[in-house]
Amino acid sequence: MEYIEENLSQELDNAVLARIAGYSEYHFLRVFKDTVKLTPADYIRKRRLTEVVRHMADENRPLSDIAFAYGFNSRENFTRAFKAEHGILPTEYKAAGNSLKLYHRPDFKAQPFSPEAAIVTRGPFCLIAYKSDEKQHSSFWNKYNAKKWSQKLSGGSVVEDFGACIWNPQQNRLDYYIGIPKQDAKGDLTGTTELAIAGGRYALFDTPPSTHLDFVNTIHRTWDYIGNVWLPENGFQRTGGFELESYVEKSRKFSERIYIPIKEK
């Protein structure tokens, strides 16, 4: 990892990385993927893109210069890689300033992560929402924010946005939507669907305060904690209804709310 970080702008060869790690190339590739959950090539690409984004936020210099410094041999090459990773163009990201799912160097000594939960009761309500056409939820949020779909739905007002997901047993997948409460939807609703969100008992989590560059990762860690730690340890299970996450992008607070409909085991 240290060698990769010091040489992100250079050509990185699996055989060289394996030799530095002290393994055969075959064993190195297996251990790396088991540990990092990515191949070395995918990890290096994601790290390079992340560093370009970090410098885009911190420095006022041409994007092509930053991309070239991290191994992208042309602006077009970088633009294709960025769009494939995040679902929007670099220019759209710079204009919107939304949070992206970035890949930082793994911290193998990460501190315990345990967001506090509250049990709350919510009344039923309706969302006017777009259905995701992206493989990654974070990419659909990027598109939603970059294209200012929230203001399009609201008629120009700043309102709370909701992501809503539910398991689709017929297609064996998770369906994901983003939109706003029906009472706030006073604009152009073309291409949307109306979702009826059931009232009842929910486990409410506020993601720990974060930064622009680590917000999406903090959200993902919170979802992992809910499913793998909190639910098994607290005697609750999911009801199967819509699970929600809500945030006001313009607030720049970098903490969102997650609602899980629950029932006792």
Side-chain angles (χ1 to χ4, degrees):
M1 284 298 179
E2 290 174 0
Y3 182 84
I4 289 173
E5 292 300 312
E6 292 168 1
N7 294 276
L8 273 177
S9 62
Q10 308 300 317
E11 196 68 34
L12 291 164
D13 180 79
N14 284 337
V16 173
L17 295 176
R19 186 170 68 251
I20 291 169
Y23 293 117
S24 69
E25 186 172 347
Y26 170 81
H27 194 55
F28 164 70
L29 291 172
R30 186 176 66 81
V31 170
F32 191 98
K33 189 167 185 180
D34 285 348
T35 305
V36 184
K37 312 307 179 189
L38 294 166
T39 65
D42 285 340
Y43 173 76
I44 291 165
R45 176 178 52 79
K46 290 175 184 290
R47 284 291 298 122
R48 285 172 172 165
L49 286 167
T50 293
E51 288 304 298
V52 174
V53 169
R54 185 172 66 81
H55 286 287
M56 285 169 66
D58 295 342
E59 301 175 15
N60 187 22
R61 61 170 166 149
L63 177 58
S64 55
D65 288 356
I66 303 172
F68 184 76
Y70 282 95
F72 296 98
N73 55 19
S74 70
R75 186 185 182 101
E76 292 73 22
N77 181 282
F78 168 70
T79 298
R80 280 195 300 271
F82 189 98
K83 179 74 182 298
E85 182 70 23
H86 299 299
I88 57 174
L89 297 170
T91 51
E92 292 177 311
Y93 164 68
K94 288 198 74 172
N98 55 282
S99 301
L100 300 174
K101 179 172 174 54
L102 302 177
Y103 286 80
H104 305 291
R105 176 179 172 174
D107 181 0
F108 296 113
K109 297 180 181 179
Q111 297 300 311
F113 187 80
S114 54
E116 292 186 4
I119 307 300
V120 301
T121 300
R122 284 195 66 115
F125 70 107
C126 290
L127 287 177
I128 303 299
Y130 299 102
K131 187 175 182 180
S132 175
D133 57 358
E134 297 281 348
K135 292 182 179 179
Q136 299 292 332
H137 304 335
S138 56
S139 294
F140 193 56
W141 274 104
N142 294 341
K143 183 187 296 186
Y144 181 86
N145 288 318
K147 296 185 180 300
K148 302 185 184 304
W149 282 348
S150 181
Q151 287 85 353
K152 179 182 176 182
L153 293 178
S154 69
S157 300
V158 175
V159 299
E160 188 173 17
D161 297 304
F162 284 81
C165 58
I166 193 166
W167 184 253
N168 183 332
Q170 285 75 36
Q171 298 187 15
N172 196 35
R173 70 175 192 186
L174 197 68
D175 285 342
Y176 194 82
Y177 304 81
I178 304 176
I180 65 176
K182 185 176 181 179
Q183 67 267 22
D184 295 326
K186 301 173 183 178
D188 182 356
L189 310 187
T190 305
T192 63
T193 187
E194 183 172 324
L195 305 178
I197 309 298
R201 188 159 59 157
Y202 286 77
L204 167 63
F205 300 82
D206 288 308
T207 64
S210 183
T211 66
H212 171 70
L213 295 177
D214 204 39
F215 182 37
V216 179
N217 288 321
T218 301
I219 293 170
H220 282 254
R221 290 187 70 192
T222 304
W223 277 101
D224 287 343
Y225 169 79
I226 292 168
N228 297 325
V229 179
W230 192 86
L231 284 170
E233 290 183 355
N234 286 275
F236 294 106
Q237 63 187 27
R238 290 173 153 103
T239 66
F242 278 104
E243 300 183 358
L244 307 169
E245 47 190 350
S246 68
Y247 183 62
V248 179
E249 181 69 28
K250 285 186 176 294
S251 73
R252 292 297 193 264
K253 292 181 179 179
F254 305 119
S255 176
E256 76 163 22
R257 311 205 99 175
I258 295 175
Y259 297 87
I260 309 294
I262 55 172
K263 59 185 178 181
E264 294 181 3
K265 290 184 179 178

